């Protein structure tokens, strides 16, 4: 693995747009101090200030006019490549950062007093460490008005590409949210953030995880799904029936047990109402969670007289809507147990994608995602608006069955040769080829 890597930043914004890019992260070879990579590939380590909210001591913007820019990055953990249209971003220094340097106050879409709040900006994420380059596009917090794609060429010649959205991606997301609000009455369209004094210009779309920042509430949204799931896996419920619509095929392959569940009739019909899904009333079932670790497949159910879902001996209480959207609270709080920490991403993803009450084998394939109500329509629409359907729409969007299609919008390799960030969406394409 190289100690450094060349990164190409390509301006695919509308003609005449100036793109300001910034590369930040923790410099692994420099005591993990906060670092900026500047336009000439030199490194700037913000010094520890005597007071909070101090400006940077150097201009760290990488300015992209009509031309691309190539910079060399060192090994960086928790890295981000930020980009904005026509307006530079503001980063501030606080005291007490890692490695004796400054802590960094990064641009925020949630703080209305942040100096970048009315700037059209976005970012992609990366880590370059001794093992590999790992990078991804992300919509976990918001959809930016600046689409981005990633291309990674390995030394052996293989090319990985994540398409991102086209130039009109944000507009299409907004249209999808407005249509969904008309269908179900929930405030999806109020996640759309308008630019102040911008004459109706859309600035970004917030994830429902951050609905509070838009003064929007989704309280109670996922609770009907939770109740369906609890009924499905409850043991000893009078009037229930077990495995009423399920065909289980057991096979031995490469020394591992694989369980495949037949999808329920009509499951792929995304227009199907909850009342049409009679299989949702099934009870007394057992779920199976493939930890995709040496711990293997763990069985789960709600024992008679209990109100917790027990998976592999780990107890999970009913999650709230906030728990499901955030994936990191309530029963999804990680801790010291490796088994529990392996279950949490797969269980949280099953709730987020609304397949928990219909499919008993998890992780399940993409055709089972977002097919019944209630579901996270923000995630559904975001995936539909990405040209290749990829991009982190929630924290555990990288959960997939072994050999399944990636949903997360990541590229990674232990032998990277060239890494390209395509900023702007103009000319966005699908396929594993170089731009």
């Amino acid at each position: 693995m190289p100690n450094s890597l060349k990164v190409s930043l390509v301006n695919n914004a509308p003609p005449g747009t100036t793109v300001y890019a910034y590369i930040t992260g923790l410099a692994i070879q420099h005591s993990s101090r906060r670092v900026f990579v500047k336009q000439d590939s030199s490194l700037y380590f913000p010094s520890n200030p005597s007071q909070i909210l101090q400006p940077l001591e150097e201009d760290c913007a990488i300015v992209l006019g009509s031309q691309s820019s190539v910079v060399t990055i060192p090994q960086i953990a928790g890295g981000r490549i930020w980009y904005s249209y026509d307006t530079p971003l503001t980063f501030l220094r606080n005291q007490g950062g890692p490695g004796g340097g400054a802590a960094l106050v990064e641009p925020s879409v949630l703080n209305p007093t942040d100096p970048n709040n009315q700037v059209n900006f976005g970012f992609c994420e990366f880590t370059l460490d001794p093992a590999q380059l790992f990078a991804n596009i992300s919509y976990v917090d918001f959809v930016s008005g600046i689409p981005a794609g990633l291309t990674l060429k390995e030394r052996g010649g293989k090319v990985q590409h994540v398409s991102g959205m086209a130039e009109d991606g944000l507009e299409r997301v907004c249209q999808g949210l407005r249509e969904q609000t008309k269908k179900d009455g929930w405030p999806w369209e109020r996640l759309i953030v308008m630019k102040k004094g911008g004459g109706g210009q859309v600035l970004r779309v917030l994830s429902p995880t951050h609905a509070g920042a838009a003064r929007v509430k989704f309280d109670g949204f996922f609770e009907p799904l939770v109740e369906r799931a609890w009924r499905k896996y409850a043991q000893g419920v009078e009037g229930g029936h077990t495995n009423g619509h399920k065909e289980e095929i057991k096979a031995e392959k490469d020394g591992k047990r694989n369980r495949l569940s037949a999808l329920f009739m009509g499951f792929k019909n995304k227009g199907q109402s909850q009342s049409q899904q009679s299989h949702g009333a099934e009870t007394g079932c057992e779920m199976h969670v493939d930890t995709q670790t040496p711990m293997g497949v763990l069985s789960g159910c709600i024992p008679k007289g209990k109100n917790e879902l027990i998976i592999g001996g780990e107890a999970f209480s009913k999650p709230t809507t906030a728990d499901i959207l955030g994936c990191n609270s309530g029963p999804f709080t990680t801790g010291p147990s490796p088994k529990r920490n392996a279950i949490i991403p797969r269980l949280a993803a099953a709730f987020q994608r609304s397949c928990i009450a219909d499919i008993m084998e998890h992780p399940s394939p993409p055709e089972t995602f977002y097919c019944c109500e209630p579901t996270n329509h923000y995630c559904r629409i975001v995936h539909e608006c990405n040209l290749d359907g990829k991009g982190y729409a929630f924290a555990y969007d990288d959960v997939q069955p072994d050999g399944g299609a990636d949903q997360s919008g990541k590229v990674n390799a232990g032998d990277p040769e060239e890494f390209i960030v395509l900023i702007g969406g103009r000319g966005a394409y699908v396929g594993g080829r170089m731009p």
Side-chain angles (χ1 to χ4, degrees):
M1 182 69 197
N3 291 324
S4 61
L5 181 67
K6 288 186 176 181
V7 178
S8 297
L9 305 175
V10 180
N11 184 351
N12 282 345
T17 303
T18 298
V19 174
Y20 293 89
Y22 303 80
I23 301 178
T24 66
L26 301 175
I28 295 174
Q29 298 144 313
H30 298 271
S31 302
S32 293
R33 293 179 65 186
R34 289 286 179 184
V35 66
F36 284 80
V37 181
K38 299 172 64 175
Q39 188 134 17
D40 61 359
S41 298
S42 63
L43 305 181
Y44 162 59
F45 297 94
S47 64
N48 202 11
S50 59
Q51 299 179 17
I52 65 170
L53 301 179
Q54 296 302 297
L56 302 182
E57 302 138 308
E58 299 183 21
D59 181 3
C60 298
I62 302 170
V63 183
L64 309 179
S66 60
Q67 303 297 318
S68 303
S69 184
V70 179
V71 296
T72 299
I73 62 172
Q75 291 183 1
I76 289 178
R80 284 185 174 181
I81 298 176
W82 305 79
Y83 33 81
S84 61
Y85 279 176
D86 293 327
T87 303
L89 291 174
T90 299
F91 295 83
L92 298 172
R93 293 177 297 139
N94 274 350
Q95 300 161 326
L104 192 63
V105 181
E106 299 177 330
S108 171
V109 299
L110 304 178
N111 180 1
T113 66
D114 187 282
N116 307 284
N117 186 266
Q118 290 297 300
V119 178
N120 186 10
F121 75 88
F123 60 83
C124 61
E125 302 170 320
F126 76 94
T127 288
L128 178 68
D129 61 22
Q132 66 172 339
L133 170 72
F134 185 100
N136 63 269
I137 57 176
S138 177
Y139 307 99
V140 172
D141 296 316
F142 66 102
V143 178
S144 168
I146 307 177
L150 306 176
T151 305
L152 172 61
K153 183 180 179 182
E154 302 174 38
R155 293 194 181 280
K158 181 182 177 181
V159 175
Q160 303 175 41
H161 178 69
V162 175
S163 304
M165 296 184 184
E167 284 183 283
D168 64 347
L170 180 63
E171 178 183 335
R172 292 180 59 215
V173 170
C174 292
Q175 182 61 29
L177 293 173
R178 293 186 182 110
E179 291 174 356
Q180 188 58 44
T181 292
K182 290 179 181 178
K183 291 179 181 178
D184 63 18
W186 285 90
W188 302 103
E189 66 179 7
R190 291 180 59 192
L191 297 172
I192 301 170
V193 178
M194 311 300 293
K195 187 173 179 64
K196 294 178 181 178
Q201 177 186 349
V202 176
L203 193 57
R204 61 182 66 94
V205 169
L206 294 180
S207 161
T209 306
H210 303 305
R215 299 182 179 180
V216 174
K217 291 184 178 181
F218 281 87
D219 296 357
F221 178 75
F222 272 113
E223 273 67 6
L225 176 67
V226 174
E227 292 304 319
R228 286 180 57 213
W230 246 243
R231 177 169 177 80
K232 184 182 188 75
Y233 300 112
Q235 306 299 303
V237 177
E238 291 186 10
H241 54 87
T242 304
N243 299 335
H245 293 270
K246 178 186 175 209
E247 176 186 355
E248 183 173 78
I249 304 169
K250 294 183 179 180
E252 292 293 331
K253 184 178 180 182
D254 297 329
K256 294 178 67 177
R257 180 177 61 173
N258 295 313
R259 291 189 179 95
L260 302 175
S261 290
L263 299 182
F264 298 106
M265 183 177 296
F267 192 74
K268 292 183 180 180
N269 180 4
K270 293 191 177 184
Q272 189 179 44
S273 69
Q274 182 173 324
S275 62
Q276 291 172 308
Q277 295 168 345
S278 60
H279 51 267
E282 187 178 15
T283 65
C285 297
E286 183 179 84
M287 73 184 307
H288 304 102
V289 177
D290 187 351
T291 64
Q292 298 167 300
T293 71
M295 288 180 283
V297 177
L298 304 177
S299 298
C301 68
I302 301 170
K304 185 176 181 179
K306 301 291 185 180
N307 198 31
E308 290 181 315
L309 177 61
I310 310 298
I311 305 174
E314 295 284 345
F316 294 86
S317 60
K318 288 183 178 180
T320 64
T321 291
D323 297 333
I324 293 171
L325 290 174
C327 297
N328 62 356
S329 61
F332 306 132
T333 303
T334 56
S337 168
K339 182 192 293 184
R340 187 177 187 86
N341 292 345
I343 296 168
I344 285 173
R346 292 150 183 86
L347 185 62
F351 275 104
Q352 189 83 242
R353 295 161 171 169
S354 300
C355 49
I356 183 72
D358 297 314
I359 300 297
M360 287 168 272
E361 318 295 321
H362 300 283
S364 61
E367 58 264 29
T368 67
F369 301 166
Y370 315 115
C371 292
C372 71
E373 297 291 350
T375 196
N376 191 329
H377 290 288
Y378 169 88
C379 294
R380 174 184 63 80
I381 292 166
V382 162
H383 281 290
E384 289 175 354
C385 291
N386 277 268
L387 297 185
D388 55 7
K390 299 177 181 179
Y392 274 94
F394 68 95
Y396 291 129
D397 219 354
D398 54 350
V399 169
Q400 59 185 339
D402 289 339
D406 174 57
Q407 302 292 301
S408 67
K410 57 88 176 173
V411 295
N412 67 292
D415 58 346
E417 179 176 282
E418 187 174 0
F419 179 44
I420 304 171
V421 181
L422 305 162
I423 302 169
R426 182 162 48 94
Y429 66 93
V430 177
R433 61 176 176 84
M434 297 294 285

